[in-house]
Amino acid sequence: MRHLIAGNWKMHGTLAGVAAYAAAIKAAPDHADMLICPPFPLIEPFARALAGSGVAVGAQDCHGAAQGAHTGDVHASLLREAGAAYVILGHSERREAHGETNAHVQAKVQAAVAAGLTPIVCVGESQAQRDAGEAAHVVKSQLIHSLPADFTGVVAYEPIWAIGTGLTPTEDDVAAMHGAIRAALIAHLGEAGAMVKILYGGSVKPSNAASLLAVPEVAGALVGGASLKPEDLLAIAAAAPRG
Ligand code: 13P
């Protein structure tokens, strides 16, 4: 499985910064797939700037309905039209700050797939849940309730306590969780569950990328802070195993 190195810009970036970033990221290594997920207004300019480069563009959210009276929301077909190929769904920052439930995430997944986008569905436990020994149970429950039975797409394991903190789980902990996610995907989706890429996210940077990306069942990274510098995202992609 080719590794996917995805940058989640969150609420950062400007129109003025797109051209220089796109020019730099075009030097992407050819043994890994790369994706930039900027704020909505930057999707179309990024898609234009990266056309033909092999670097894909994605969104950070979409609505669960095809269109309608939903002030402030964006539907998946419009994201596709703007040039997005992927959409991040159910990120913990949206689950927490916008009250997104597993049911909301599942509706968004269905809307995204119907529009031709590849969803990247985020799951992950809090520090308190990990301390209580509930991490695997929480993640499995998020998966089962966020993914429709005919799911196609990508899953990202992002322990909440590792996001933006500089902390990362041990390689053994990542291996154990990714193994548990794979088992849950196969139980929920059947054979198709074996094909789903499982990314790791949470404080991935050039210095820890090689060891995290070499863990079994880690098929890429979802990168926040370090994705804002193209040289750091490129260094993470370069660290992805070949083949
Ligand atoms: P950081 O890489 O900044 O920890 O963010 C991870 C993340 O939330 C990506 O979606």
Side-chain angles (χ1 to χ4, degrees), residues 21-215:
Y21 190 100
I25 209 76
K26 277 183 183 175
D30 58 13
H31 69 281
D33 294 325
M34 290 194 74
L35 166 67
I36 307 296
C37 299
F40 290 132
L42 304 189
I43 290 173
E44 197 272 340
F46 251 124
R48 247 183 307 122
L50 290 171
S53 72
V55 179
V57 181
Q60 300 172 17
D61 182 41
C62 71
H63 197 275
Q67 56 180 308
H70 302 290
T71 302
D73 285 313
V74 178
H75 65 78
S77 304
L78 181 56
L79 297 173
R80 186 91 188 92
E81 191 183 349
Y86 290 80
V87 58
I88 298 169
L89 295 173
H91 192 282
S92 59
E93 287 155 11
R94 295 206 59 85
R95 289 179 188 261
E96 279 176 18
H98 296 266
E100 282 190 14
T101 63
N102 291 321
H104 291 133
V105 176
Q106 184 163 159
K108 291 173 181 221
V109 168
Q110 283 167 322
V113 172
L117 297 173
T118 299
I120 301 176
V121 177
C122 302
V123 294
E125 82 285 358
S126 67
Q127 184 71 63
Q129 289 165 332
R130 175 155 286 261
D131 292 346
E134 294 169 358
H137 171 75
V138 165
V139 166
K140 192 173 161 188
S141 173
Q142 287 176 327
L143 283 172
I144 289 170
H145 295 106
S146 300
L147 305 185
D150 59 353
F151 177 75
T152 53
V154 177
V155 165
Y157 169 55
E158 297 206 309
I160 296 169
W161 52 272
I163 295 176
T165 58
L167 302 172
T168 53
T170 65
E171 288 154 44
D172 284 351
D173 283 344
V174 174
M177 186 61 85
H178 279 234
I181 290 172
R182 176 66 69 208
L185 288 171
I186 290 171
H188 186 49
L189 306 174
E191 268 177 36
M195 305 306 297
V196 174
K197 273 187 183 160
I198 310 170
L199 312 184
Y200 168 77
S203 295
V204 178
K205 49 193 178 212
S207 59
N208 62 20
S211 52
L212 287 166
L213 291 170
V215 172

